[in-house]
Amino acid sequence: MANDFEQLPAAVRRERILARVSETGFVRVADLSREFGVSEVTVRSDLDAIERENPIDRVHGGAVLRGGTSLREEPFEQALSTSADEKRRIGVAAAALVRSGDSLILDVGTTPAAVAAALLDRDDLDDLVIVTNSLTTALALEPAIPRFTVVVTGGTLRPLQHSLVAPFAAKVLDELHVDLAFLGGTGVHPEGGATNVNLAETELKRAMLLSADRAVFVADASKVGRVDLGRIGSIEEFDTLVTTGVDERMRAEFEKRGIDVVIT
């Protein structure tokens, strides 16, 4: 059956596309093609026309909002104080999913760092193996050694997040298979999936996702409903979303795709 938007005049379609870019900060050609029932060639033409008169920039596979906040990455220390109580609650709820003897991946970022802090506070846990690409998280977990074994991926240092990325970071992950991966990012959306603004980190997050039996996405309420440039994975590839807020309509959309939503 034809998409309801298929017969929209070009001007109306472009207005709606612009509204979507303004709302989410990033749109993909393929997604717009499916949504509006037109070819990807038509969508690219629409985006080119929108770019000439509006504050968007064309990028490979889509378009981004020029100067949009969803494409700016905060330094780790700055992000640490943002929604601190929300992240602490997420950390406690996520850490509750871990049992003694588990092997884990802990992603870079302040919300996964909150998971690390909550694990450290659990004196009932023993024999954990924790793999991370975050120097901050590795050092924070040091007091738990030898109760925890901490493995650092190696790789090239990104000073903004104190993270290790390609080259070499993914080589360790190629040799590992863990029980649980706790991943963060800058956006999570039922249709757009789990996303992140930095492409180098996104690539490694994807490798982490593929190395785990189960994956948990941790995100405060400000990340829910956002779609950013780098796609970590579809929602169907995750088992659980731990967050502090999501409206009922969007929660239903997440759960329809098979992901458990834990609200702290």
Side-chain angles (χ1 to χ4, degrees):
M1 186 171 67
N3 190 294
D4 291 341
F5 294 122
E6 189 170 3
Q7 303 305 318
L8 282 178
V12 176
R13 187 176 61 246
R14 290 170 184 176
E15 181 180 330
R16 295 191 182 185
I17 290 173
L18 177 59
R20 182 64 54 83
V21 182
S22 300
E23 177 186 353
T24 65
F26 172 65
V27 291
R28 291 184 177 82
V29 169
D31 294 341
L32 294 173
S33 173
R34 286 193 297 270
E35 179 177 347
F36 291 101
V38 295
S39 71
E40 293 191 5
V41 172
T42 298
V43 173
R44 292 189 187 97
S45 177
D46 286 342
L47 292 174
D48 289 340
I50 294 168
E51 183 183 30
R52 287 193 288 270
E53 298 181 5
N54 296 276
I56 73 165
D57 291 312
R58 294 279 280 110
V59 296
H60 179 70
V64 299
L65 185 65
R66 190 175 302 148
T69 56
S70 67
L71 294 176
R72 289 203 292 264
E73 185 179 18
E74 288 183 312
F76 183 90
E77 289 77 12
Q78 182 179 336
L80 201 59
S81 61
T82 304
S83 305
D85 184 61
E86 287 189 61
K87 292 171 183 175
R88 180 194 60 78
R89 299 200 316 267
I90 290 170
V92 171
L97 302 173
V98 177
R99 298 174 298 180
S100 290
D102 280 346
S103 55
L104 318 173
I105 286 173
L106 278 180
D107 190 12
V108 70
T110 54
T111 310
V115 180
L119 290 171
L120 201 59
D121 287 342
R122 282 190 57 186
D123 55 13
D124 62 312
L125 287 176
D126 271 309
D127 196 27
L128 292 187
V129 177
I130 301 176
V131 182
T132 185
N133 68 321
S134 166
L135 296 182
T136 305
T137 294
L139 291 173
L141 290 169
E142 189 175 2
I145 298 172
R147 193 162 57 95
F148 298 174
T149 298
V150 181
V151 179
V152 182
T153 61
T156 303
L157 179 63
R158 289 192 68 240
L160 197 64
Q161 294 293 329
H162 317 308
S163 61
L164 299 168
V165 296
F168 308 122
K171 290 187 178 297
V172 170
L173 297 172
D174 288 341
E175 304 299 323
L176 294 177
H177 183 88
V178 302
D179 299 309
L180 266 171
F182 293 96
L183 303 180
T186 52
V188 60
H189 189 281
E191 295 178 0
T195 55
N196 194 60
V197 295
N198 182 271
L199 295 181
E201 285 187 357
T202 301
E203 183 179 352
L204 197 61
K205 291 172 190 285
R206 177 68 184 166
M208 291 175 168
L209 177 61
L210 295 175
S211 296
D213 277 340
R214 293 181 293 141
V216 178
F217 197 81
V218 290
D220 64 68
S222 68
K223 314 288 177 56
V224 178
R226 282 175 50 169
V227 179
D228 277 316
L229 182 61
R231 185 177 174 89
I232 301 166
S234 68
I235 284 302
E236 288 83 358
E237 293 178 275
F238 288 84
D239 296 270
T240 307
L241 168 64
V242 183
T243 185
T244 48
V246 56
D247 65 50
E248 286 305 311
R249 180 191 60 80
M250 188 167 289
R251 179 175 186 166
E253 286 297 313
F254 279 121
E255 292 178 340
K256 186 169 71 174
R257 288 166 169 78
I259 186 170
D260 292 329
V261 179
V262 176
I263 301 177
T264 65

